[in-house]
Amino acid sequence: MILFASDLHLSPQSPGVTGLFLDFLAGPVRQARELYLLGDLFEAWIGDDDLSDPDNARIVAGLRATSEAGVRIGVLHGNRDFLLGEEFAQACGCQLLREPYILSTPEWQFVLAHGDALCLDDLAYQQVRSQLRDPAWQQAFLARPREQRRQLAAQMRAQSIASQQTKDSPYSDLQAAATDDFLRDHGYATFIHGHTHQPATHDHIVDGIHVERWVLGDWHETHGDYLAWDGEALTRHRWPTA
Ligand SMILES: [Mn+2]
């Protein structure tokens, strides 16, 4: 079994979600061979020197125990935790993957991404995104004292909430034409992504070929959403199950 989840947005402000995620790691994930986290595992990540934060340490310990139990964990960056680095990956025993990531199984091909790179209609967002993903900007940010980075992250978060309020929908969707190009460029593989917080399964017809696009949901205090591939079918699940 291969499991997929995204947009947990783990933060000290939502301890319920952290609890659900740790139960998820100790539960269904232990029965799986692989787990892919498709971005925004954390609400914010200000640098790997923040691994010592007690909340982060608890989450890393959960991931570590899971990888040590033999589950391969792949992590993609989201637009919140784009600064997750090698130190984090080593502490968890997981692998940081560059998006788009092609996942080939003996039975099927998938392409994995966070999803925000295809939200091209939101020009303001794409501008911010290219700044945050710029290595020079990242280096300068990481060179600041940790407390300053924490404040800057909170400021950016507040600005993003304010700009969302002027839009019809807080999360713009993927651009249709760019998505079709993306599916074509990745061999019509089944596309799994998150970011939009609009869980659904979409059917695309690209060059006459039917391609599925599965959107992961974000996690809440009461429940989370994940997908499972058992070698034959992709299915959506709610956690906890009851
Ligand atoms: Mn996101």
Side-chain angles (χ1 to χ4, degrees):
M1 197 84 89
I2 304 176
L3 305 186
F4 307 88
S6 78
D7 300 279
L8 292 99
H9 295 268
L10 300 178
S11 127
Q13 274 78 53
S14 55
V17 184
T18 302
L20 280 185
F21 179 60
L22 294 173
D23 291 348
F24 175 62
L25 289 177
V29 176
R30 295 300 173 95
Q31 316 303 317
R33 193 177 72 218
E34 294 170 43
L35 168 69
Y36 291 90
L37 297 166
L38 273 62
D40 290 351
L41 172 61
F42 293 95
E43 173 70 1
W45 190 261
I46 58 166
D48 284 359
D49 54 348
D50 211 26
L51 283 166
S52 55
D53 169 272
D55 285 297
N56 291 339
R58 238 177 109 215
I59 295 157
V60 167
L63 288 163
R64 169 115 228 146
T66 308
S67 62
E68 279 176 351
V71 183
R72 186 185 120 94
I73 305 174
V75 177
L76 272 71
H77 289 116
N79 53 302
R80 299 292 178 70
D81 54 10
F82 54 91
L83 285 175
L84 287 172
E86 275 312 316
E87 250 182 89
F88 163 81
Q90 278 183 18
C92 301
C94 59
Q95 253 186 298
L96 279 178
L97 306 173
R98 288 180 73 98
E99 68 163 29
Y101 179 76
I102 304 284
L103 171 62
S104 289
T105 76
E107 307 88 9
W108 205 250
Q109 276 233 335
F110 300 91
V111 57
L112 315 179
H114 182 53
D116 59 321
L118 288 168
C119 295
L120 293 170
D121 292 327
D122 192 342
L123 297 175
Y125 173 74
Q126 289 300 328
Q127 239 170 21
V128 173
R129 183 179 192 274
S130 60
Q131 184 198 40
L132 299 181
R133 299 284 179 131
D134 174 28
W137 183 91
Q138 292 190 358
Q139 250 181 20
F141 181 82
L142 289 171
R144 293 169 181 270
R146 185 150 46 144
E147 206 35 56
Q148 218 182 79
R149 275 179 276 148
R150 222 186 286 283
Q151 284 168 14
L152 281 168
Q155 253 172 45
M156 286 191 276
R157 182 76 198 105
Q159 275 165 10
S160 133
I161 291 171
S163 88
Q164 278 169 7
Q165 279 161 354
T166 65
K167 293 177 195 161
D168 301 338
S169 153
Y171 297 92
S172 59
D173 209 349
L174 280 67
Q175 193 185 71
T179 303
D180 282 356
D181 287 344
F182 178 91
L183 298 173
R184 180 179 295 119
D185 292 346
H186 296 92
Y188 314 99
T190 297
F191 181 20
I192 306 177
H193 69 85
H195 181 66
T196 61
H197 299 194
Q198 295 168 50
T201 307
H202 300 277
D203 295 299
H204 291 255
I205 305 292
V206 188
D207 307 330
I209 298 166
H210 173 221
V211 190
E212 284 185 0
R213 175 167 66 92
W214 291 67
V215 188
L216 287 156
D218 54 327
W219 284 45
H220 303 266
E221 290 285 320
T222 49
H223 67 278
D225 173 72
Y226 69 96
L227 300 177
W229 170 252
D230 64 1
E232 281 180 19
L234 198 57
T235 44
R236 190 180 295 277
H237 302 264
R238 194 183 161 93
W239 178 256
T241 319

